[in-house]
Every structure is written in C-alpha cells, then in structure tokens.
Amino acid sequence: MVLSLVALVIRLYLPASFGERPLLLLFLFPVIVSAMLGGLGPGLWATAMVAFVTNYQLIPPYRSVAIASIYDVLQWTMLIANGILVSLFSEFLLRARQRENAHWQQLLQTRDKLRFSETLFQATFENAAMGLSILAPDGSWLKVNRKFCDIVGYSREELIGRRFADITCPDEQSTDADFMQRMLAGELNHFSREKRFIRKDGSIDWISLNVSIVRKTDGSPDYFISAIEDIEQRKQAALALNASETALKVAQRLAGLGSWTWDLRTGKHNWSEQIYYLYGRDPNLPPADYDEVIRYFKPESRQRLHAAVALACSEGVPYECELELQGHGERCRWVVARGESLRDEHGNIVVLHGTVQDITQRKQAELALLDAQRAVLETQREAGLAALNLMEDAISARQDVEVANASLRESEEFKRAILDSVSANIAVLDRYGVIVAVNRPWQQVADDNADACGQSPELCGVGTNYLQVCLQASGQGTLEIFTGLSAVLEGRLPRFTYEYACRSGQQQRWFAMVVTPLGVAGGGAVVSHTNITERKLAETALVESEQRLRLAQTTANIGIWDWHIASGKVQWTSELEAMFGYAPGAFPGDYPTFSQRVHPEDLAELEQQRDSAVAAHLPFDLDYRVQLESGDIRWLNSKGGAHYDEMGKPTRVFGICIDITERKNTESELKLWAQAFENAEFGLAIADAQTNLFLAVNPVFAAERGYTTEELIGKPVMMVYPPDLIDQIKQRIEVLDTTCHGVFEAEHQRKDGSRFPVMLDVTIIKSSDGKSLRRVAYALDISDRKAAEAALRAQTDALQRFNRAMVGREMDMIALKQRINELSRQLGQEQPYPLAFLDGTEIAPQPDALP
C-alpha cells in the first residue's frame, strides 16, 4: 500500500506532463517488490491497490471508477493480469526457496551428524580397550586398531595385507579355518575361543578371540569383525594357581594334614581332600555335618572334642585336641584337631575353621614308650618280690636279678629305639627343667644349629637346663615358651603348644612345640618339636596363590561364580558382587536373588541357553543385562561350564562374568548411525581416497542414479559422471584433497545415460599423518531448482519484452500530444495537454506512430 501511494505521488508530481496518459508501467514496481518479498498475499493486495489508485486517480474520467477509453481498459487489465502473474510466480519462487532452504538445513544437520558419527566411530574403534580388526573373507586384514597392534606386536602397515593365519600357531590354523568356512557357508554367525598366536618377536601368547561376520543385503559375506583380548597373564595365573593348589594338596598329603571350614550361619562344611582320607569317607560324597563327624571318634575323644568346639562357638576360644578315631579292625588312628573362630563385623562368631593332622605314628611311639616303661616297672616289682621270697637261695636270686637287669637294659634300649624312630625332636626334662634324655632327631638338630651358629652341641644336650636356654635365647616368642614350659613343669597347665620360626643358616624352618607332663612321681615334662616347614610353605603358597588370583580378577574386571545345583547355593567373588551392585559380602548366596537382578526380558533366554549347553556337556558363552537396585542397566558376558557326577548329571555350574556395558553401548550407537546413513532422504556416498572406489552408498544415492547399492559398491566413482566432465572432476578432487572440504555443482549420469544436475558437499577424512583416507559426499538432486531458475529467466525476458513494447506506445502518444499542442499554439488556442516538463524536447514518432 505504501509503495503504491509512493508510485502515485511520483506519477502526479513528475516534472514532465504526460497528459491523459496514466503511465501504468510505473505501478508494476510496487507489485513486483511486494510479491517478491511477501509472496502471493502481499502481491495481490498490491495489485488491488494499484488497480484502484490508477482507475480512480489517473484514468479518465478522474475521481471515478469508470473507464472511458477502451485503450485504457486494455492497459489497466494488462496491469492487473501482470500483477496477478507476478504474484503467483513470486509465491512459487518463495515456496521453492523455502523448501530448498529447509532441505539444505536438513542436509547440513545430517552432514554434521554423520561427521560426528564417523568421528565417534573412528574414536571408539581406535581407542577400544580390546583389539579390534576387520578382515576380508579371505582372511586378510582391512583395518586394525591401536590395541590390536599392541597385542600382536605389529604395526598397522605390517598387518595390512597379511592374513589372519600368518600369526596363528600352525596346530590351530585348521580349527580357525574350519570355523571361518562354516561362517562363510552360513552355518555360524560368530564364534569365540581361546587360542595362541605368534607375536612379531616370535613369542607365543594366549588370547580370547571373538569373530562375527557382516553380510551384504543379499546375504553374501562382506567382511569379518574380530575382537581379541590378551589373556596371557590370566592363563599364567591359572597355571600358577593350579600348580600351587597341587603343591598344597601334595604337602597336605605328605604331612597327613587336612583343612576344614564350618559356616555356623548356613551349616555348610568345606573339606580339603586329605580330610576325606583321614576320616575314611568317600570323596564323592559331600562333607559330613558336625553330628556325623563327632561319631567318627571314640567316646572319650568325642566328649573332649565336643566340649572344645562348644567353647569355641560360644566364646571364640581356640582349641587343640589329640583324639582317637573309631578303629577299623585292630588298627587305631590318632589325629590332632585344631580350630579357631571368625567373627563378623558385629562381633558374632560365624565361622569355625581349622586343621586335622594324622599323628598315629607319633601316638604309637608314645604308647609304645609308656608300655615299655610299665613293663620295666612290672619287671622290677616282680624281681623285688622274687628276691624277698627267695632269699634262702642266693644263687637263684642272683640269677633272677641278672635276668631282670638284662631285661631292664633291653627295655631301655627298646625305649631308646622307639624315641629315635620318631620324626619329632623329643627331650625329657626333670621337674627343674634339666634335660635328662633326648632322641636322635633332637641331637641331630642341635648339631646342625651348632655348626650353623658356631656354638657347642652340648648347649641343648643332656644335663642342660632347658628353661635357662629358653630364657636366654633371643627371638620372637622366647618369653611365651619359657612361661608355658614353666607352667607345665609346675603343674599349672596340663599342656602347652606353640608354633615358631627358626632360621638355620640360609634355611627358614617352622616348628610346632608341644609340652606335656611326664606323669611320674618326680615330676618333669616331655618336650616335642615337630618340623611343620612343609605345612607352613604350603599355607604360604596357598595365600600367595589366592592373592594372585584376586589381583588377576581385579585387574581384568572378571567376576567368578559357582552354583551348587543341589543346595541352590551360589558363591560369588567380590568383583562379581560389584557388577551386580552389591557391597562386598552382601550377596546372600542363593539363586533367586541372582535371577531377580537379571533383566526380565533376558532371564528366560539366559536360562534356556545355559541349560541347553549344560545338558549337551558343552561350554556356554552368553550376553545378558542386569538391572541394579538404582535402576541402571549393565551388560555382562558370562562364560562357563558344568561339573558332572559319574552318572553324567550336572552337580555344579561355574564360570566367569565380564562387564561389557561399554562395548554394548558402542554397538548400539554404531547401529543407530548406520540406520541414519541407510534411511537418509538424500544421497550419501563414501569412497576410498586412494583407489577412488565406492566403499558405501545409501539407497537414495543409488536409486537416483538408477543403480542398486551392490552395483555401485567397489566400483569407480567416475562411473556416475559424464565422460566429458571426468577431467574437470579429477582436478576438483585434487583441490579437495588439499582444502579437505568443498561444495560445488556438477552433473551425474544415470545408468540409462541420462544426466541431471547435483549439488555436492564433499569432506575429506585424513589420517594422523595427513594422508587422505576417505571421501564423504552428500549429493542433492537440484533438477527442480534448475527448472525453476529457467522458468524465472523466461518469465523475466517476457516481462522485459512487454515493458519495451509498452514504452514505445507511450512515446508515440507523447509525440502526438506535442503536435496537437503545437497546432493549438499556432492557432492561438490553449494547449489541451499539460506537457510543460517536455518543453524544448521534441519526441520523434515511432515508425508505427499515428499520422
């Protein structure tokens, strides 16, 4: 409206006079500007305003909506028609421009997303915590990440072009080839196994290998994706653990020592292998409960053990008892049972554990010694009675005495032989602590210590006050030994035991000291030192083995579980408790609690696959989700197997769990970006910068050019360009490799030979050393835009021709009015047309002007 009024003011106040000519050409400008800026509505409003203003103000009769001249009607109608056409055409151009802008905005957004996706995928692939690689169907490497190179010891350049079999141990190549052939044949989609490979330096390491296959849309193999994890340390830890466990079993067997644990909360018992042998129980049976164990001992031993265990359970007092087992036939067996308690964080006694050691030989020696002593006393008593009763026969009495003395000497020799045959170091003390007798092992140890320390062997020999030796000795525990030994000699303590370490030269040894009363009228004590070095070394090896195992689990983030099917009890390590969101020791140890944490959608499939593998006596490898109490979701990979009884029935299911949440999240994101690539509404293509071949195209890109994606992938990029443009495109690609990004227009050629214009946005992806790797192109078909531009140019040309024609008609009318004014002036009449602004200017008539 404003522009129309401005045009009217300009028309009314032009310095030149146009007479009755309305000069309607001047009013096309407001219509064109309004339509171009606002579209159809403003253009029509401007057309209506111009039509009213010119009709009312400029076309005779003035100040009226009537039109007197047919010529003016024609001009006025053409003005309205041109205004409507310009409005319609401007609306079309405006909407086309809006659609194009929206399309370009979407294109830019998608380009940014794909660029981010490519960067994210590259960063994820490159920085993955496990070795990742992509292999061609023939087994050659196409792409590897940094972790893969670190594990195998090769650089990327050394691996690309090699084959998977080149670093595989020869005895495992056939197995790998069989798995890959089955995957190529469609029998398998993935496989996992532990295998050995040859590093660049020639060393052989263990890895965990997972291989899956990616297929094309027609189902044919495209490439393999492999993931490897270095498990050399885990393998070595497992071998070391097995070795330490074997050594512990051997040490326990040689020492006649077994270990046990009793959980007072659950009543569950755990026995070592040697316990079964000591108690004569079938190793295939579960450990016996406390009531059954008590029945293994004779009544007197049973009462002492029961009292000691009750005191340990109620007050936590450790115990050590020598007990006699129920005999099998005439053979009796003796054991020493030791136990102590463990308390929970509240101070309650929850666990008892201890050892049982076979001391039958030692007991037999002690009993033989006591029998020999009783025999000597009995012989002496009988000899005394014989001497009193046969005093009248001196010769006979003397013979009897000689016989008794001979018997006594034999008895002493027998006792000495028994003491010397015992492996323990034994010394007999009188009531003052003086050594009155020692056996051969005691004397041997004294000689060894004297040689190592430069001391006299008589330091611990017969006649030495052992109490003073213990008091003057240096080292840990000497005061405790002196106090305990004194208490036994004075009758204040029925028994004293103590374990201590003793270094002889470069050798570290451990001994168990037992002091018992001598049991004679004069008092005294028997001191026994038993070498327990093998047991201590076995216990130390076991602790170190368990520490190494815990370190391996913590470092590799691996949790271990063991499910006893009959009892329903489940044992977890602390690493596995953390994966399921429990604090250490908080897992109650039952299967229902585990199943409640498994995601409801995964539980049925998890149990079905696990049970099927167990029933088929096969290992299983499963991925499933767990839902923590906080609501967070974690992905776990569980590998395991089962232990079966002699009937083939599973008794235990055990295995490990690895947290693969990060890997699963990465796979989901990669699938999401792959879907975005496939479902984009515009053409996308990725080409190799070195070979200039298509690596990937989306369906829109292929369909616009009349191809399928399979027909383009692996083909030269130049096949979609017309032959006459190939040289120009190659030059532009060389520039793009330098600038890394560019947007330009070109033409593509369809499969049928037809050509169409495209707008290309190309991004170059380079390696860290600046080498071009990939070209990513976003292609937009601009045929509609080109057609709209051509139509706009044609309309503009037609409008210009019309304007030129109308200007010619106006000039003819002005020349005619000038002639009429001139004739009126010559006749002395008033000039009818106000053309003062043209005074002095002669307008020549056009060739088709009126005469």
Side-chain angles (χ1 to χ4, degrees):
M1 293 177 64
V2 173
L3 290 177
S4 300
L5 294 176
V6 170
L8 176 62
V9 171
I10 294 174
R11 170 63 183 83
L12 293 176
Y13 292 97
L14 282 175
S17 175
F18 288 91
E20 296 180 355
R21 292 294 183 182
L23 199 60
L24 299 182
L25 179 64
L26 183 63
F27 291 90
L28 272 179
F29 178 74
V31 175
I32 293 174
V33 173
S34 300
M36 292 297 293
L37 295 179
L40 180 62
L44 294 179
W45 275 107
T47 301
M49 185 67 182
V50 166
F52 174 77
V53 168
T54 55
N55 187 6
Y56 187 79
Q57 192 72 25
L58 300 178
I59 298 178
Y62 304 112
R63 311 292 192 281
S64 172
V65 294
I67 302 177
S69 173
I70 297 300
Y71 178 76
D72 290 336
V73 171
L74 177 61
Q75 288 193 80
W76 187 69
T77 304
M78 292 183 65
L79 173 65
I80 296 174
N82 276 287
I84 294 173
L85 290 176
V86 169
S87 299
L88 291 173
F89 188 69
S90 298
E91 177 68 16
F92 171 75
L93 291 181
L94 183 62
R95 292 191 177 183
R97 186 163 60 250
Q98 291 174 347
R99 287 195 302 271
E100 183 178 351
N101 289 337
H103 193 64
W104 272 104
Q105 288 295 329
Q106 183 182 9
L107 178 64
L108 293 175
Q109 292 175 0
T110 306
R111 182 195 65 185
D112 293 339
K113 291 180 180 179
L114 288 176
R115 185 176 299 168
F116 175 75
S117 171
E118 177 69 18
T119 304
L120 181 63
F121 168 76
Q122 185 67 22
T124 302
F125 181 86
E126 186 64 26
N127 299 312
M130 62 173 55
L132 300 176
S133 64
I134 299 177
L135 296 89
D138 62 353
S140 59
W141 275 293
L142 301 177
K143 185 178 181 66
V144 296
N145 70 347
R146 182 171 58 251
K147 184 64 175 178
F148 190 95
C149 296
D150 294 341
I151 294 175
V152 301
Y154 290 90
S155 64
R156 299 177 194 270
E157 293 74 14
E158 292 173 329
L159 285 175
I160 300 302
R162 288 177 176 265
R163 297 171 62 86
F164 184 77
D166 294 342
I167 65 170
T168 300
C169 290
D171 56 345
E172 295 184 353
Q173 292 181 2
S174 60
T175 304
D176 292 340
D178 178 62
F179 275 116
M180 297 181 76
Q181 288 298 327
R182 292 175 63 188
M183 293 177 70
L184 291 173
E187 299 177 7
L188 295 174
N189 289 325
H190 64 87
F191 73 89
S192 302
R193 63 186 299 252
E194 293 183 355
K195 63 185 299 295
R196 295 168 297 163
F197 72 95
I198 305 174
R199 292 175 56 86
K200 183 180 179 180
D201 58 8
S203 61
I204 296 179
D205 283 353
W206 278 92
I207 62 169
S208 174
L209 173 67
N210 292 272
V211 180
S212 58
I213 190 170
V214 178
R215 301 185 182 277
K216 300 178 181 178
T217 55
D218 60 355
S220 60
D222 192 1
Y223 57 88
F224 294 102
I225 299 176
S226 72
I228 66 172
E229 183 180 358
D230 191 346
I231 60 172
E232 178 65 21
Q233 293 183 353
R234 193 178 76 194
K235 277 289 186 180
Q236 295 298 333
L239 293 175
L241 178 61
N242 291 335
S244 65
E245 290 178 350
T246 302
L248 176 60
K249 289 181 180 180
V250 172
Q252 289 185 343
R253 179 172 56 82
L254 295 176
L257 179 70
S259 58
W260 55 268
T261 302
W262 179 17
D263 192 328
L264 300 177
R265 296 167 297 184
T266 62
K268 182 179 180 181
H269 294 258
N270 284 326
W271 284 4
S272 67
E273 182 179 342
Q274 191 65 18
I275 293 284
Y276 284 94
Y277 172 75
L278 292 176
Y279 288 159
R281 185 176 178 83
D282 186 355
N284 295 320
L285 297 177
D289 57 17
Y290 175 69
D291 294 335
E292 184 176 352
V293 171
I294 283 292
R295 292 195 294 270
Y296 289 162
F297 299 94
K298 289 188 175 181
E300 189 274 334
S301 297
R302 186 182 310 165
Q303 293 176 1
R304 287 192 290 113
L305 177 61
H306 184 71
V309 171
L311 193 60
C313 293
S314 60
E315 300 182 11
V317 178
Y319 65 88
E320 179 175 340
C321 303
E322 292 185 358
L323 309 170
E324 185 177 5
L325 293 168
Q326 295 281 6
H328 299 280
E330 297 181 354
R331 183 169 178 262
C332 294
R333 300 186 64 184
W334 284 82
V335 296
V336 55
R338 301 180 180 90
E340 62 181 19
S341 59
L342 294 178
R343 300 178 184 269
D344 59 11
E345 63 275 9
H346 303 296
N348 299 323
I349 298 174
V350 295
V351 174
L352 289 183
H353 66 93
T355 60
V356 178
Q357 185 175 10
D358 190 348
I359 60 171
T360 302
Q361 293 181 354
R362 193 191 81 189
K363 268 295 181 181
Q364 289 175 347
E366 292 178 358
L367 294 176
L369 178 60
L370 293 177
D371 290 342
Q373 291 175 345
R374 285 194 295 267
V376 170
L377 294 175
E378 183 65 24
T379 302
Q380 291 175 346
R381 186 178 64 82
E382 292 177 356
L385 292 175
L388 293 175
N389 293 330
L390 301 175
M391 285 294 291
E392 68 281 1
D393 193 351
I395 297 175
S396 178
R398 186 167 52 251
Q399 290 177 349
D400 291 340
V401 171
E402 290 177 355
V403 171
N405 289 335
S407 177
L408 180 60
R409 286 193 297 272
E410 292 176 359
S411 175
E412 291 292 340
E413 292 175 357
F414 178 70
K415 290 189 292 183
R416 171 62 61 180
I418 292 175
L419 286 175
D420 291 340
S421 67
V422 177
S423 60
N425 308 325
I426 298 176
V428 181
L429 311 182
D430 62 12
R431 61 184 301 178
Y432 303 107
V434 177
I435 301 176
V436 297
V438 296
N439 69 343
R440 184 179 295 111
W442 178 287
Q443 190 62 47
Q444 184 63 44
V445 171
D447 294 341
D448 293 342
N449 291 337
D451 293 339
C453 302
Q455 298 174 347
S456 173
E458 287 76 17
L459 182 62
C460 290
V462 176
T464 303
N465 192 313
Y466 193 64
L467 274 175
Q468 295 299 321
V469 172
C470 295
L471 184 61
Q472 296 173 2
S474 61
Q476 185 178 4
T478 55
L479 182 59
E480 289 85 346
I481 294 175
F482 174 80
T483 303
L485 180 56
S486 299
V488 174
L489 289 173
E490 295 171 4
R492 294 183 287 105
L493 190 67
R495 179 186 180 88
F496 172 71
T497 61
Y498 190 79
E499 292 184 0
Y500 63 94
C502 177
R503 177 174 293 277
S504 176
Q506 300 298 322
Q507 182 180 8
Q508 180 73 29
R509 294 181 295 176
W510 285 265
F511 290 90
M513 178 181 183
V514 180
V515 181
T516 57
L518 185 58
V520 296
V526 178
V527 179
S528 171
H529 295 267
T530 303
N531 191 333
I532 58 171
T533 302
E534 293 184 354
R535 191 195 81 190
K536 282 291 185 179
L537 292 177
E539 293 175 353
T540 303
L542 178 61
V543 172
E544 293 176 352
S545 173
E546 293 176 348
Q547 291 175 346
R548 290 193 296 269
L549 177 59
R550 285 195 296 270
L551 178 60
Q553 293 175 12
T554 304
T555 304
N557 195 20
I558 296 175
I560 301 177
W561 55 269
D562 194 341
W563 173 32
H564 295 263
I565 299 177
S567 63
K569 295 298 180 181
V570 181
Q571 293 177 322
W572 282 2
T573 60
S574 58
E575 290 78 12
L576 190 57
E577 288 181 318
M579 293 181 190
F580 279 78
Y582 289 105
F587 176 62
D590 53 68
Y591 186 82
T593 304
F594 156 74
S595 60
Q596 289 173 2
R597 285 292 172 94
V598 178
H599 197 283
E601 297 178 1
D602 297 348
L603 180 60
E605 183 178 0
L606 164 67
E607 293 180 335
Q608 188 272 330
Q609 294 185 9
R610 180 201 63 207
D611 294 344
S612 298
V614 170
H617 289 224
L618 295 174
F620 53 83
D621 188 341
L622 310 172
D623 293 346
Y624 60 91
R625 293 169 292 175
V626 295
Q627 188 168 8
L628 307 186
E629 189 174 0
S630 62
D632 295 340
I633 299 296
R634 286 184 182 173
W635 276 93
L636 300 183
N637 172 255
S638 181
K639 300 180 177 67
H643 180 269
Y644 305 88
D645 59 16
E646 63 277 3
M647 302 300 295
K649 183 179 178 181
T651 58
R652 292 171 46 235
V653 182
F654 51 87
I656 64 171
C657 284
I658 304 175
D659 192 333
I660 58 170
T661 304
E662 184 177 352
R663 189 188 81 189
K664 283 291 184 178
N665 292 339
T666 301
E667 292 177 356
S668 299
E669 291 179 2
L670 292 179
K671 290 180 181 178
L672 178 62
W673 291 119
Q675 292 175 356
F677 179 83
E678 290 293 326
N679 300 318
E681 296 182 356
F682 45 85
L684 295 172
I686 302 175
D688 188 287
Q690 303 301 317
T691 62
N692 212 22
L693 301 177
F694 282 116
L695 296 179
V697 297
N698 69 343
V700 173
F701 185 92
E704 287 179 345
R705 289 146 188 80
Y707 295 94
T708 63
T709 55
E710 290 77 13
E711 291 177 322
L712 288 179
I713 294 176
K715 301 299 190 300
V717 173
M718 294 303 169
M719 68 181 293
V720 300
Y721 290 96
D724 56 326
L725 297 181
I726 291 179
D727 293 337
Q728 177 184 350
I729 297 300
K730 288 182 178 179
Q731 295 176 0
R732 188 174 292 276
I733 289 177
E734 293 178 357
V735 175
L736 286 175
D737 286 340
T738 303
T739 61
C740 296
H741 180 260
V743 180
F744 59 92
E745 293 185 3
E747 285 190 347
H748 277 184
Q749 181 172 292
R750 297 186 179 91
K751 186 176 181 179
D752 59 6
S754 59
R755 300 163 63 153
F756 64 97
V758 293
M759 175 71 72
L760 297 176
D761 186 321
V762 182
T763 300
I764 307 299
I765 299 176
K766 294 189 175 184
S767 62
S768 58
D769 57 358
K771 182 179 179 181
S772 298
L773 298 178
R774 301 285 186 270
R775 298 190 185 100
V776 181
Y778 313 99
L780 178 64
D781 187 348
I782 57 174
S783 300
D784 293 341
R785 194 186 78 184
K786 288 292 185 181
E789 291 175 355
L792 178 60
R793 286 195 298 270
Q795 185 68 22
T796 302
D797 292 342
L799 183 60
Q800 290 177 351
R801 290 195 299 272
F802 173 76
N803 290 336
R804 287 195 296 270
M806 292 302 297
V807 170
R809 292 293 183 182
E810 291 289 339
M811 297 305 294
D812 291 343
M813 294 298 297
I814 293 174
L816 179 59
K817 289 181 179 181
Q818 283 182 329
R819 291 180 60 186
I820 295 174
N821 286 343
E822 179 63 24
L823 291 175
S824 299
R825 186 181 61 78
Q826 293 175 1
L827 294 175
Q829 299 179 358
E830 183 181 359
Q831 297 180 1
Y833 298 106
L835 298 177
F837 65 92
L838 290 178
D839 288 349
T841 302
E842 185 70 23
I843 303 298
Q846 298 300 314
D848 57 348
L850 295 175

